[in-house]
């Protein structure tokens, strides 16, 4: 991404305009085409203005993040667990960045525009043809995220993929150990059913979209990285014990037989 684009990204007025545009076009899909259910925003109301890390499971490239931005804006305007009338787009909350794959944000003009809303672009740590190599974040990407944490909130997806129950990545626990942020787990459901993988087109209308913010994690920052990552994955309900809890976690609709069998 060019240095010019990076400079634009840090201009709050530019980001407010982009948030408002994205918000206006995405609001009907969340509230009218589908139904959005929000829980736990009381955990956001007294958070510090910086060094807050939101960790979430991931179901689409963009719809997840766009929904979070709507919710943060609504909370800024004093709403709890609802969006209501989106007058919050007149002065949106912009003190937040989100981690996204670099090549995803270069996909087309729309993704490039959305990148200016606060994307922290990182390089994928695998080769599509050779298979995934699960390494930590690139050092330059780590520094980029750390700088954002020093002044703002950051949204990250520890799995780095929309595939459910994929292992978490060590880069997340490294960031937590190094920066000691307030860590807010988020669990989302329904987005994979309602939207295509990119989250820009509807796949099934009338879907219940659920976003649940949990209370901040009580983390021992001196614990081994593996333990911290295990705690995070459990909190976002992507650990092994959550794998077979219910159909909301399955990529395909269960058969009648499996739906009625005990979990």
């Amino acid at each position: 991404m060019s240095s010019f684009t990076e400079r634009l990204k840090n201009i709050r007025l530019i980001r407010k305009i982009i948030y408002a545009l994205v918000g206006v076009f995405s609001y009907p899909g969340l509230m009218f085409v589908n139904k959005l259910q929000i829980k736990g925003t009381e955990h956001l109301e007294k958070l510090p203005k910086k060094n807050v890390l939101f960790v979430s499971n991931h179901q689409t490239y963009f719809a997840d993040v766009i929904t979070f931005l709507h919710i943060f804006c609504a909370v800024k305007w004093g709403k709890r667990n609802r969006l209501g009338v989106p007058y919050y787009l007149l002065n949106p909350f912009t003190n937040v960045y989100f981690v996204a794959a670099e090549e995803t944000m270069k996909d087309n003009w729309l993704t490039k525009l959305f990148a200016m809303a606060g994307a922290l672009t990182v390089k994928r740590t695998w080769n599509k043809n050779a298979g995934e190599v699960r390494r930590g974040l690139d050092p330059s990407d780590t520094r980029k995220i750390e700088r954002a944490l020093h002044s703002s909130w950051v949204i990250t997806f520890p799995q780095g993929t929309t595939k459910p129950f994929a292992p978490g990545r060590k880069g997340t626990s490294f960031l937590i150990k190094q920066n000691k942020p307030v860590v807010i787990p988020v669990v989302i459901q329904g987005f994979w059913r309602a939207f295509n993988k990119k989250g820009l087109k509807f796949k099934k209308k009338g879907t219940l979209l659920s976003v649940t913010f949990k209370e901040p994690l009580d983390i021992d920052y001196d614990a081994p990285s593996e333990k911290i990552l295990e705690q995070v994955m459990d909190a976002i309900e992507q650990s092994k014990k959550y794998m077979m809890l219910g159909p909301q976690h399955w990529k395909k609709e269960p058969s009648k037989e499996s739906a009625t069998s005990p979990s």
Side-chain angles (χ1 to χ4, degrees):
M1 188 174 291
S2 69
S3 58
F4 175 71
T5 302
E6 288 293 327
R7 288 196 296 270
L8 286 179
K9 185 192 304 182
N10 293 317
I11 299 175
R12 289 294 173 93
L13 178 59
I14 297 294
R15 291 173 64 185
K16 284 179 182 290
I17 293 171
I18 295 172
Y19 277 40
L21 289 173
V22 172
V24 166
F25 285 104
S26 58
Y27 181 85
L30 298 176
M31 298 299 293
F32 303 136
V33 179
N34 297 292
K35 181 180 179 181
L36 179 62
Q37 180 184 78
I38 308 168
K39 298 179 182 178
T41 58
E42 62 272 15
H43 301 308
L44 311 183
E45 293 170 359
K46 295 183 179 181
L47 289 176
K49 294 182 179 180
K50 60 183 180 179
N51 208 29
V52 177
L53 184 66
F54 291 85
V55 292
S56 176
N57 61 316
H58 200 21
Q59 295 189 346
T60 75
Y61 292 168
F62 300 109
D64 312 4
V65 172
I66 290 172
T67 304
F68 290 171
L69 298 180
H70 272 284
I71 295 170
F72 294 158
C73 292
V75 171
K76 173 187 175 181
W77 282 71
K79 298 183 181 182
R80 178 179 281 191
N81 293 328
R82 65 188 182 90
L83 297 186
V85 178
Y87 54 77
Y88 51 77
L89 294 174
L90 296 173
N91 185 20
F93 178 84
T94 59
N95 192 44
V96 59
Y97 291 86
F98 57 94
V99 179
E102 189 174 76
E103 61 267 35
T104 300
M105 304 311 294
K106 292 180 177 179
D107 194 41
N108 54 53
W109 69 269
L110 184 60
T111 59
K112 290 177 182 177
L113 176 66
F114 189 52
M116 289 194 292
L120 300 170
T121 55
V122 299
K123 301 177 184 68
R124 288 196 186 277
T125 56
W126 70 88
N127 181 289
K128 291 182 179 179
N129 297 321
E132 186 171 352
V133 179
R134 305 200 77 81
R135 299 192 297 266
L137 287 170
D138 181 278
S140 62
D141 293 335
T142 301
R143 289 191 294 271
K144 188 186 301 183
I145 298 171
E146 287 180 337
R147 285 195 297 269
L149 278 172
H150 292 164
S151 62
S152 310
W153 295 357
V154 172
I155 304 165
T156 190
F157 303 95
Q159 294 163 289
T161 175
T162 57
K163 182 180 179 181
F165 304 105
R169 297 186 179 178
K170 294 180 181 179
T172 300
S173 55
F174 174 80
L175 284 169
I176 292 172
K177 283 181 68 69
Q178 289 294 110
N179 298 279
K180 299 178 174 58
V182 176
V183 179
I184 304 290
V186 190
V187 177
I188 64 170
Q189 296 176 5
F191 287 81
W192 66 266
R193 183 180 290 113
F195 300 97
N196 67 351
K197 191 171 184 178
K198 290 185 178 180
L200 299 175
K201 294 181 180 180
F202 299 120
K203 191 168 69 174
K204 183 179 180 181
K205 299 179 181 180
T207 300
L208 176 63
L209 309 174
S210 172
V211 179
T212 301
F213 296 92
K214 297 186 177 181
E215 63 183 349
L217 290 180
D218 183 11
I219 295 176
D220 177 4
Y221 298 109
D222 295 321
S225 294
E226 293 77 11
K227 288 290 185 182
I228 293 176
L229 185 59
E230 182 181 336
Q231 184 180 5
V232 167
M233 297 306 291
D234 198 46
I236 65 173
E237 301 182 9
Q238 290 294 298
S239 58
K240 289 183 179 179
K241 78 176 187 179
Y242 282 98
M243 189 174 290
M244 298 303 293
L245 279 184
Q248 68 270 24
H249 294 293
W250 301 344
K251 288 299 287 182
K252 294 182 179 180
E253 293 288 349
S255 64
K256 291 183 180 180
E257 182 180 351
S258 61
T260 55
S261 62
S263 57

